[in-house]
Amino acid sequence: MKNIGDFYKGLSDTNNDHFELEGMIIEFYCAVIDDDEYTKKSEALLLFKELYDWYCGGTDEGTWQYYERAGKTEEELALAHLKKCGMDEAAKMYALGMHDYSVYDWNAEKYPQEWMDEAERIDSFIMDNEDNILMMLRNILLENREEIEKVMGGKAVGNADDRNDRAMRELCENNPELAEQIRRIQEESMAQLFAMMNSDCETCANRTENTGLNEFACKAYPDGVPSEVFLSKTPDKRGTECANGFCYECEE
């Protein structure tokens, strides 16, 4: 977890390490999409998001899916920037995929094969030019630092789990009663998990197919074993009828 100032310091120091730079770009992207107000207030952030989505299309899901959901205004912004920064081949490839998918009601089965072939060409171009595109994204952030810091303020940059953990810690520090409730819930949850892992139901010969998510069924309880039975201590089931004339029988 970094504040935006620390993030920028690291970004300034990162040049040729592909994986380090990509990791920082991903971190920042996650912070940006955490609040869509950022891209509404900053054209630089909107540009960064749009071109990163394009990059991800080429390295992951396929750029045709990027173009399918991209807006015309955002496409024109991205294309203009590629031309402005002298990435003529990238601009040419970007423009190649700009089609109106709404004509086909966003139904992939109806898209012209020519469009799909063009998207594959764009995918290949992005894969062959990953480093250049990442450096372009880095430069967008560095060149627009003042605007971005003003819009994002003290926004923390890091993964969502880190942000959630920090928010929870701060909440508990300011509310001891809540912290105690959470501690008890965690202890009870761990106790239930341990009981589930050691339940006789797991090894009973009368067990049948599950009836739903995490729900055991058996000959005694064909509609699902009640949680109080499933979580009861091991000796309670042995030699004692569970229901419908059935009791625990160890699997051979």
Side-chain angles (χ1 to χ4, degrees):
M1 176 68 65
K2 298 180 280 289
N3 64 44
I4 197 164
D6 290 338
F7 167 80
Y8 263 110
K9 183 180 184 305
L11 188 65
S12 299
D13 295 340
T14 302
N15 285 303
N16 299 318
D17 189 318
H18 172 91
F19 294 106
E20 183 180 3
L21 178 56
E22 185 175 43
M24 296 191 73
I25 294 293
I26 292 172
E27 279 189 342
F28 191 83
Y29 178 83
C30 290
V32 170
I33 64 171
D34 201 35
D35 188 341
D36 61 6
E37 286 298 314
Y38 294 141
T39 54
K40 293 178 181 178
K41 296 177 180 178
S42 168
E43 184 174 271
L45 287 175
L46 178 61
L47 175 64
F48 167 80
K49 178 184 178 299
E50 200 64 25
L51 284 170
Y52 181 75
D53 285 341
W54 182 64
Y55 167 80
C56 286
T59 57
D60 186 11
E61 62 185 4
T63 47
W64 71 268
Q65 294 189 59
Y66 160 76
Y67 289 109
E68 184 183 44
R69 59 178 178 263
K72 185 173 179 58
T73 300
E74 289 78 6
E75 286 181 338
E76 291 177 348
L77 177 67
L79 180 59
H81 180 78
L82 291 171
K83 292 178 178 179
K84 179 182 177 182
C85 63
M87 298 182 70
D88 296 337
E89 187 63 22
K92 178 182 176 181
M93 296 305 296
Y94 185 94
L96 188 64
M98 293 171 63
H99 301 296
D100 185 4
Y101 285 84
S102 67
V103 172
Y104 297 95
D105 297 322
W106 295 279
N107 185 338
E109 295 180 357
K110 297 180 180 179
Y111 297 155
Q113 186 58 47
E114 180 183 359
W115 292 10
M116 298 296 100
D117 293 341
E118 290 170 348
E120 288 187 7
R121 286 178 58 192
I122 299 168
D123 295 345
S124 297
F125 172 82
I126 292 174
M127 291 291 288
D128 291 340
N129 292 272
E130 285 188 58
D131 289 340
N132 290 336
I133 296 171
L134 286 173
M135 286 300 293
M136 173 198 63
L137 292 168
R138 171 182 179 270
N139 290 338
I140 290 173
L141 297 181
L142 291 175
E143 291 167 6
N144 296 278
R145 176 173 180 173
E146 184 176 349
E147 173 188 331
I148 291 172
E149 287 190 319
K150 182 178 180 180
V151 170
M152 297 186 68
K155 176 70 177 180
V157 178
N159 64 59
D161 287 340
D162 284 344
R163 294 197 297 274
N164 291 340
D165 289 345
R166 180 178 180 181
M168 180 60 73
R169 286 196 301 271
E170 291 177 352
L171 184 62
C172 289
E173 287 173 1
N174 296 323
N175 193 328
E177 291 183 1
L178 176 61
E180 178 60 22
Q181 289 178 0
I182 292 174
R183 184 190 65 77
R184 287 201 302 268
I185 291 172
Q186 289 175 334
E187 287 183 353
E188 291 171 1
S189 297
M190 288 302 296
Q192 285 195 346
L193 178 61
F194 182 78
M196 288 173 66
M197 293 171 61
N198 293 276
S199 172
D200 272 346
C201 293
E202 293 272 12
T203 58
C204 182
N206 291 318
R207 187 177 62 181
T208 57
E209 292 295 322
N210 290 1
T211 60
L213 182 64
N214 295 328
E215 185 175 290
F216 277 78
C218 65
K219 294 176 182 177
Y221 301 101
D223 294 326
V225 180
S227 59
E228 63 271 16
V229 174
F230 187 83
L231 297 174
S232 62
K233 296 179 180 179
T234 300
D236 294 343
K237 299 191 188 76
R238 297 180 184 274
T240 303
E241 179 181 338
C242 295
N244 297 320
F246 293 97
C247 61
Y248 170 83
E249 296 179 26
C250 185
E251 289 180 321
E252 293 295 332

